[in-house]
Structure formats: structure tokens, C-alpha cells
Amino acid sequence: MIKSLSWIALALLATATQAQETSPFSWSQSQQFVSPYATTGKMEQIGRTGVAAMHAVLLNEKKILVIDKAEWNEAQFDSGQSAFSVEYDLDTNEYRMLPLETNTFCSAGGFLANGTFINTGGGERVGRTWKADPGWQSIRHYTPCTDDSCEWSEFPTGRMVYNRWYPTVEQLAEGDIFIIGGSTKGAAVNRDEINVPSYEFWPPRSEGAFDFPFLNETMPFNLYPFVFALPDGNLFIFANKQSVIFDYKNHKILKRLPDIPGNVRSYPLTAGAVMLPLDPAKNYAVEILICGGSKEMKNNSPADDTCGRINLSDEEPTWEMETFVHKRLMPDGVILPDGSIFWANGCQRGWAGYNNRNHDPTFDPLIYLPENKPGDRWVTGLADTNIARMYHSVALTLPDGRVWIAGSNNVSPPDILAEYPTEFRVEYFSPPYLFKSNTRPLISHVPRIVTYGESFSIYVNLGDLVQSGASEPEIKVGLLRPGFSTHSMHMSQRYVYLKHTISEDMQTITIEAPPNGNIYPPGAGFLFVVCDGIPSKGTEMFVEHDVSVLAI
């Protein structure tokens, strides 16, 4: 009887095996997670900003501060006055209107070490249903919150030494901000009589403002100069086609760099600039990437299709030129948590400005892989958009690894029926790395605040990213500051890889905070753990000289 049952069991097993080989509900090999977005990423339109997103900055894990100039917007107070600033909620995709009294037109921004956001400069007095006082010398404070209680605090006039329209701000190692350039009033391009060739600090330093003749040498293309704080404590400053290494403590130029080949790269022939991620394994070597622009101030001028890359650690730095794939004016370049650079927005023809100066939007985003060799650095074929994002567009990398894209307003006054209308729709781009696995690293116990050089530990769950018997995964830890986005600028954007060790069970990572403020100026960032190119969600943390400095 037992022998008969054995034969029956074998027969049933053979039948089941044969059925599996022909059944549509079984596979002959193990299945891996596959998404149609694993090579293209995904673009989604969700939410509205209420005001034209001329400027934007990520405040924390939940909120974005959006700033327009004083003009008509669809977000309006009960009085009929148009709002020109809102706080955008990333969880609900809704906005909260914020009253402002001074005109924030073409301003700049950055954070102090204590966590307060500072907005500098602006434009003229305006009236009617979007009235505002002049903002040329204004300083505005905004202390981030998550409970909808925060509001602007304004210092209307006389706070900066000079009027500044189109200035640049960069966060410094000391915890204050560096404010440079601009013009005393609005113009299509800078002119000698309105040029402001100087820099100052906020909070104000006793010496006031300092002359900076470089901004005379680079006329008329020197508004919104590119500025990056360097690991050696100096500044990289670029305008027109020229760049220098500048010692802001002793107020002198240390080195003049070669001109970038080709076209002018500064407003209104606007390119985008990124300081590539800083890596302790490379001794924090600095490379600057500048892409796009336009040939001349004409409505039919072709956009530039080249990028220049310079390694400031070389004894004699030179620009390495490479393709930008598409002709693109006014691009936005943002650093992703895997260390690549995402490029979006812009157009193929014209120059930066209002009313028929920008044409032929570029709908196709790109990803730049800085670690690859020339000729193999660009990822194309990504999910595109059908929304024109030209003059006055913005982009920000989010803690969840997506990119928030908004804005575009190249008509004045605003017009939602124009060929390229005033744009209030928000888009989210989810990069391919979010679709390459059915899991991503999970992290917890991230401290809210650390001091420079401090060692701290976090917990990590790598899930299915670590397979038994497989080779050890590549783990990176990085601290990202998305910066202040406006006019293709991303002021104080910075990504620093952190030294770390991972426990044998791969559940704990011990991390070293940045060694000093030159590497990572004090303030907030978002901590990511990246496993084989797939990032965790970023967690906000602060790096400070002293934990008592933080005011939020």
C-alpha cells in the first residue's frame, strides 16, 4: 500500500511539473522587479503654485517657499490683492498665501546658520491690485516651520548698503551670507550707470560694502554671477565668460582662470552652473560645470549646445568642453542624491527676458553622469513634459528623491492665454533610480543636529538590495543642500559625500560629519544613503559650529 502511494505521489508531481511548464501562471525562472519607468523615469503634473514661481527654496522635508514679484497672480487675498509669495505643502500639494509688503522682483536668497532664510533685494514700487513698496535694498527673514504659523519679517529699505536687483547670495563657512552684484534698477542688460560692482554681508559687517572691480570688467553680462564657496575657504566667481578665485576675507583675487570658450554664459544669455559633488576620497576636489546659454541678445538667436567643465584642483585649470546634447538657454541643473545632475527647463532660441524673447521650449530633460568619461556622460530618452518652462522657471531636488518643477512667466503683465502662458502647474520628475527595485534603503535615528567632525550612527535597512551570497553593494552617504532656485541659478546648492563605515550585519552606519564649514557651510541639509545607485529618502539634519546656534 505504501509503495502504491509513493507511485501516485510521483505521478502527481510529474503532472504538476508538466502543468507548470505550460501554465500561464508560472515561470521557468525567478522574476525580478521590472518597471517601464526604470530607464525613462516618470513625469507627473500635480498641484498648482498659485503664484508664478520666479524663485523657490526647500524649507524642510514638507514645505517649499515660492516667491514671485508683485504682480497679478491667481492666488488672491479676500481684499482682491494678489499674493506674490506662498508656502507650498509637498504632502497635500496645496499652498498657503503669505503677505509681503516689498517687491521681491529678481531677488536672491540663502540661509543663515541658525536656520533662518534670508531674501535680499528686489524691484520697484508697484500699485493697483498687487501693490508693493520698493524692494531694492530690502532684507526679508523667514523662519521655517511645519505648522503653518510662519510669516515673513521685512526690513523694507536701507538695510543693504546698495540697491540690488539681480544679486547673487552664497552661504559662507562663518554662517552668514555673501551678497554680490546686481544693478540699482531693472534693465534688459546691465549698464555702467546702474551697475553695482560690490559685495556685502548679512548680517552686516562693520566695514559695510566692498568694491569688486571684476564686475566692471565683465560688463554688461554680469547680473546674477555664479558663486560657489570652495573647500579652501575662498570663492569661485563667474560672470560673462570670465572667472576668478576670490579671497573674501582679505578682499583680493587670488587667481584668474581661463575664459570659458564659446558664448557668454551670464544673464541675459543665461546658462546654468553646478559645483559637482565633493568627495573626501578625492580630497574634496572641486569641479564646476556650466552648460547652455545663447549667442546674442536677439529673439532668434540660437541657444548654446555646449558645456564647460573645469577642475579647480589642477595646477593650471582649463575648461574641458563637451556637448549639452540639445541647444538650451535658461536650463536648470539640480544635483540628485545619486550624484548625477538633472537638467530641465529652458528653450532653444532667444534670450532671457519678457515678451517674445524666448522661443522653442526644450521639453526633454537630461541626466549628466559626472563620473563617466567624456562622450558617455549623458542619459537621454527620459520622460518628457508638454509644459513650456522658460523664463522664470525653477527646479528643486526633494528629500524623497524626486524633482519639483514649476514656474515659467515670460509675459508681462501675466497672461494665462498667451502662446507661452504664465504657468501655475507643478510637475514632479521621478528619476529612473526610483523604479530599479521594489525597495530602497530605509534609514532612521538620524540626529537633528551635529557639529563639524562629529561621529554619529544611524540605522539602515537595505532590504532586498542586499542578497545572500551576492557581492557587497556600493554604499554612499551624502548631504544635499538644494539651494535657492531662480533664473537658472541654484544659490548655495551643494552635495558632499561623507566618510562612513557600515557594520558587518549592514544594519548600522557610522558617519563622520563634514570636517569644517568650508566643506559644508553651517545649516540644514538632507542626509541620503545610496545603495548601488538607489537612494533612501533624505532626512533633514543640521551641521553647526555650535548646537546652541540653531533657532528652529
Side-chain angles (χ1 to χ4, degrees), residues 51-55 67-73 82-85 100 102-107 123-124 126 130 132 165 354 392 409 411-414:
V51 302
M54 182 182 293
H55 323 74
I67 310 168
D68 187 19
K69 69 174 185 177
E71 62 181 346
W72 176 88
N73 277 299
S82 287
F84 53 100
S85 180
L100 269 173
T102 57
N103 192 357
T104 46
F105 185 22
C106 298
S107 53
E124 67 278 3
V126 292
W130 45 90
W165 184 77
Y354 283 123
H392 293 152
N409 186 24
V411 288
S412 183

Side-chain angles (χ1 to χ4, degrees), residues 15 50 87 90 97 116 127 219 226 235 250 291 294 332 397 406 434 472 501 505 544 549 552:
T15 303
E87 189 181 70
L90 292 167
M97 293 182 289
T116 300
M219 283 290 290
F226 300 138
L235 298 173
N250 296 301
C291 292
S294 188
D332 278 288
T397 301
L434 294 179
E472 189 171 313
T501 56
D505 63 8
E544 303 288 357
V549 168
I552 61 174

Side-chain angles (χ1 to χ4, degrees), residues 14 19 62 72 98 111 123 149 160 231 287 307 343 351 359 450 496:
K62 303 292 186 183
W72 176 88
L98 301 169
F111 290 89
S149 64
M160 290 190 294
E287 292 190 79
C307 294
W343 293 91
W351 53 301
H359 304 275
V450 297
V496 177

Side-chain angles (χ1 to χ4, degrees), residues 174-208:
E174 294 85 349
D176 55 357
I177 59 173
F178 176 83
I179 310 167
I180 182 171
S183 60
T184 59
K185 64 179 183 179
V189 69
N190 211 353
R191 304 191 305 270
D192 290 339
E193 65 269 23
I194 62 173
N195 187 30
V196 187
S198 65
Y199 60 92
E200 55 188 289
F201 302 87
W202 188 265
R205 297 188 181 182
S206 58
E207 304 95 323

Side-chain angles (χ1 to χ4, degrees), residues 439-467:
T439 189
R440 63 192 298 186
L442 302 175
I443 60 175
S444 69
H445 293 71
V446 176
R448 176 166 169 75
I449 181 170
V450 297
T451 55
Y452 289 105
E454 180 181 341
S455 178
F456 61 97
S457 294
I458 66 171
Y459 294 147
V460 62
N461 180 353
L462 299 177
D464 293 342
L465 297 174
V466 177
Q467 299 293 333

Side-chain angles (χ1 to χ4, degrees), residues 86-138:
V86 301
E87 189 181 70
Y88 188 92
D89 189 300
L90 292 167
D91 287 337
T92 65
N93 289 294
E94 297 179 350
Y95 59 80
R96 178 173 66 93
M97 293 182 289
L98 301 169
L100 269 173
E101 300 296 329
T102 57
N103 192 357
T104 46
F105 185 22
C106 298
S107 53
F111 290 89
L112 301 179
N114 68 5
T116 300
F117 174 72
I118 307 297
N119 182 242
T120 67
E124 67 278 3
R125 179 192 303 273
V126 292
R128 301 181 183 176
T129 58
W130 45 90
K131 61 184 180 180
D133 292 329
W136 308 114
Q137 287 182 270
S138 297

Side-chain angles (χ1 to χ4, degrees), residues 40 47 97 99 137 150 202 231 233 295 326 332 345 493 497 522 539:
T40 65
M97 293 182 289
Q137 287 182 270
C150 36
W202 188 265
K295 183 179 180 181
H326 308 303
D332 278 288
N345 303 340
Q493 179 176 223
Y497 290 121
T539 299

